[in-house]
Amino acid sequence: MTDTDNTLTELNAPTQASEEALGEGGVTVEDPLEVARTEQARLKDQLLRVAADFDNFRKRSRRDIVDAERRVREDQLRELLPVFDNLERAAAHAESATDVKALLDGIHMVLRQFQDTLGKLGVERLDAVGQSFDPAMHEAISHIETANFEPGAVAAEAQAGYRMNERVIRPALVVVAKAPAAAAPSAPGIETDA
């Protein structure tokens, strides 16, 4: 055999590695470790893509929430601006007004407009006077002895409270009634100065 024949024989002869890869019937059998590594790489890539998609979704959701909150605040402010405009007009008119009654009527109109606007926004004033003291809606600033109200009832309101959609925004500052102190009876044998 010549060198050329030896080279052709070497080229045509299957290598030991290729013989190991061939199974019965000449079908290629893959290394299970390589299959597992390929699958692991594929799953890792898929996991990284899902994580990136979720991170983008989370950022987009946050941005959407901030935008929605901003739009709600802008809508509420848009509702309140006409009240502010009318209040400015009343203040400008007050400087030159000679008719106090007309000025007072104008202020009451602006006040009604403000209350109506708050109603549109779902804000309502809490009823306090005459109601039983409720720490969820009232904040007691003092007590007063009175027979006009039941003990534990709100006798006076120092500052109005408000709620929005059944949630208290600001509790009312109130004065709570307590029973009047009874005149102290004098003990027998003890004289009191009259």
Side-chain angles (χ1 to χ4, degrees):
M1 241 180 167
T2 63
D3 284 338
T4 307
D5 291 334
N6 283 337
T7 306
L8 286 175
T9 305
E10 289 174 11
L11 289 175
N12 289 332
T15 61
Q16 183 180 4
S18 64
E19 286 176 358
E20 290 173 2
L22 289 178
E24 292 181 27
V27 177
T28 305
V29 177
E30 294 186 27
D31 182 18
L33 184 58
E34 282 302 315
V35 170
R37 285 182 181 155
T38 303
E39 182 66 11
Q40 183 229 357
R42 187 186 67 76
L43 291 174
K44 182 179 178 183
D45 181 57
Q46 184 180 6
L47 177 67
L48 290 174
R49 288 176 191 274
V50 169
D53 286 345
F54 181 71
D55 190 44
N56 290 337
F57 169 76
R58 187 176 43 210
K59 289 176 184 176
R60 190 171 45 253
S61 295
R62 284 184 189 153
R63 190 172 48 246
D64 290 347
I65 289 170
V66 168
D67 288 345
E69 289 172 347
R70 181 183 46 80
R71 282 191 303 274
V72 167
R73 283 192 307 268
E74 287 173 357
D75 290 345
Q76 291 174 340
L77 182 59
R78 214 172 279 117
E79 292 285 335
L80 291 171
L81 286 177
V83 177
F84 182 71
D85 294 339
N86 287 334
L87 194 57
E88 280 184 327
R89 287 184 197 106
H93 180 70
E95 294 174 7
S96 63
T98 56
D99 186 7
V100 175
K101 174 82 169 109
L103 179 62
L104 186 59
D105 289 342
I107 291 173
H108 283 294
M109 286 174 41
V110 173
L111 185 58
R112 275 193 304 276
Q113 182 186 20
F114 186 64
Q115 290 169 341
D116 292 344
T117 302
L118 287 179
K120 287 181 193 174
L121 297 174
V123 177
E124 62 182 304
R125 186 176 179 147
L126 296 173
D127 291 329
V129 177
Q131 303 291 321
S132 293
F133 177 77
D134 181 356
M137 297 190 324
H138 307 126
E139 184 176 330
I141 56 173
S142 69
H143 286 87
I144 187 171
E145 291 180 6
T146 182
N148 296 338
F149 294 95
E150 293 288 321
V154 175
E157 181 179 68
Q159 184 180 53
Y162 292 90
R163 72 175 154 219
M164 181 175 192
N165 302 326
E166 302 304 319
R167 184 173 177 178
V168 175
I169 297 172
R170 180 178 80 184
L173 298 180
V174 298
V175 176
V176 180
K178 65 180 182 179
S186 58
I190 300 176
E191 293 182 23
T192 59
D193 293 330

